[in-house]
Amino acid sequence: MQSVDSDGDEESRVRPATTVFPLDEDDSCIAQARHLAADFLDRARTDQGVTVSARAVDLTRLVVSELVTNARKYAPGPLWMELGLAGGTVEVTVRDSVRLHPAARPGDPGRVGQHGLEIVMAVAESFQVRLEPSGKSVTARIALADGTVADVPPGGR
C-alpha cells in the first residue's frame, strides 16, 4: 500500500497536505480504508498539531466505511480514497468507476440496511458528488473539533 502526498513545493507547504490511497480491490479495502483514515488523523494531530477530537476520528471512520462500502458494492474496478484537511474539517473523497450519482433513500424505519448515505449526510458538514470522465468522486467533510454544527442535536439548529 502506497500513498501519494503533496509534492513538497512551496504551495503545498502553505495548504494542508492531501494524501491519496489506492485501495485493494476486495472487501478488505473497507477495513483498510478505516485504518488509513485513523492513521491520517493521528498524524495530523501529532505531526502538525491539529486539534482532532475522538468524536471526529470515530465519525471519519464511519463515513469512510460507508463511502468505501458503497463504492465497493456498486462500482467495479479500482477505488481511491483521498484525505485532506481544510477549514477545520477532514475531507474524505472516494473515487470509483461509475458515473452515476448515488441517492439516499427516503427515511423508512422498517428498512433493514441501505442507510449508509443517510448516515453520511447526517454527520457530515458537507457532502458532494462530482461526475468525472472515468467515474465519480464522493466527498464528505467532517468537523475536526467538537462544538461545531455537526454536534448540534437534531431540532437544535
Side-chain angles (χ1 to χ4, degrees):
M1 172 59 45
Q2 292 184 337
S3 65
V4 180
D5 288 322
S6 302
D7 62 8
D9 64 9
E10 188 171 334
E11 181 180 321
S12 68
R13 282 191 294 263
V14 173
R15 68 177 196 269
T18 298
T19 304
V20 178
F21 301 97
L23 298 175
D24 293 339
E25 291 191 42
D26 60 25
D27 288 342
S28 71
C29 70
I30 300 161
Q32 172 192 31
R34 284 192 305 262
H35 180 74
L36 292 167
D39 284 351
F40 176 83
L41 291 175
D42 187 50
R43 283 193 322 273
R45 183 187 300 126
T46 58
D47 297 349
Q48 300 175 26
V50 175
T51 299
V52 179
S53 72
R55 182 175 189 274
V57 175
D58 290 343
L59 289 178
T60 300
R61 289 172 52 102
L62 173 64
V63 165
V64 162
S65 183
E66 295 298 340
L67 294 181
V68 173
T69 297
N70 283 351
R72 176 75 181 110
K73 185 174 182 180
Y74 298 111
L79 301 178
W80 293 79
M81 179 176 68
E82 182 176 322
L83 301 169
L85 302 175
T89 66
V90 58
E91 189 171 88
V92 176
T93 300
V94 175
R95 288 187 170 80
D96 67 42
S97 61
V98 173
R99 294 194 78 233
L100 293 174
H101 278 271
R105 294 180 174 214
D108 178 359
R111 183 176 72 234
V112 176
Q114 299 183 337
H115 295 280
L117 229 47
E118 293 172 64
I119 293 168
V120 170
M121 292 168 69
V123 302
E125 295 278 315
S126 67
F127 178 80
Q128 179 182 19
V129 178
R130 288 183 311 272
L131 295 182
E132 299 174 347
S134 62
K136 71 175 163 300
S137 63
V138 179
T139 301
R141 286 186 175 187
I142 299 99
L144 291 171
D146 292 339
T148 61
V149 173
D151 293 326
V152 176
R157 292 183 187 187

